[in-house]
């Protein structure tokens, strides 16, 4: 879900089912490289949450909170507060079954709701 911060109206909602390796996906998130003048902060862990005060993302510098609900479910909330259009992106991911037989599809299908 992408929404304006103040009026809180939904701009876009979509659902995607994809075969992903959550370990690879999380490694990419946790190793966000510096982009231009944006330098990613190290995450802080508290209970089942990982918080990045600043993470370089496709949206720009964002504040990110990843909440792990179980081995098969997590949410990721990204807040962009800079620029003319502050917004929030919420990703809800959960395992729905095994992937196909292809070698690149060996971990588990996940439904990602944006």
């Amino acid at each position: 879900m992408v929404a304006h911060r103040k009026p809180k109206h939904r701009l876009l909602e979509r659902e995607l089912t994809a075969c992903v390796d959550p370990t690879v996906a999380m490694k990419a998130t946790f190793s966000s490289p510096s982009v231009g003048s944006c330098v990613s902060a190290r995450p802080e862990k508290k209970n089942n949450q990982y918080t990045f005060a600043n993470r370089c993302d496709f949206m720009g510098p964002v504040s990110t909170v990843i909440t792990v609900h179980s081995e098969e479910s997590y949410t990721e909330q990204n807040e962009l507060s800079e620029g003319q259009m502050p917004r929030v992106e919420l990703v809800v991911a959960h395992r729905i079954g095994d992937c196909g037989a292809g070698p690149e599809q060996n971990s588990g299908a996940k439904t990602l709701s944006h």
Side-chain angles (χ1 to χ4, degrees):
M1 176 172 69
V2 179
H4 278 108
R5 188 179 236 178
K6 300 242 178 190
K8 295 275 186 183
H9 67 277
R10 188 171 299 179
L11 298 177
L12 171 69
E13 183 173 345
R14 64 183 169 195
E15 186 170 313
L16 165 73
T17 300
C19 187
V20 299
D21 182 331
T23 301
V24 171
M26 284 298 109
K27 280 183 182 178
T29 298
F30 280 81
S31 67
S32 295
S34 298
V35 178
S37 62
C38 179
V39 178
S40 294
R42 296 179 67 78
E44 294 182 22
K45 183 179 188 289
K46 184 175 181 183
N47 299 319
N48 66 332
Q49 288 190 329
Y50 297 87
T51 303
F52 296 82
N54 186 60
R55 188 172 69 84
C56 302
D57 188 88
F58 69 93
M59 297 186 343
V62 296
S63 169
T64 299
V65 177
I66 298 171
T67 304
V68 179
H69 302 288
S70 70
E71 287 185 13
E72 299 182 344
S73 174
Y74 70 90
T75 57
E76 178 179 329
Q77 181 172 317
N78 298 298
E79 290 190 42
L80 174 66
S81 57
E82 292 184 13
Q84 295 181 3
M85 194 168 117
R87 61 184 185 232
V88 176
E89 176 189 61
L90 178 65
V91 176
V92 178
H94 59 90
R95 187 172 194 282
I96 59 172
D98 293 334
C99 290
E104 72 283 356
Q105 300 178 339
N106 59 8
S107 286
K110 287 194 181 277
T111 296
L112 305 173
S113 298
H114 289 277

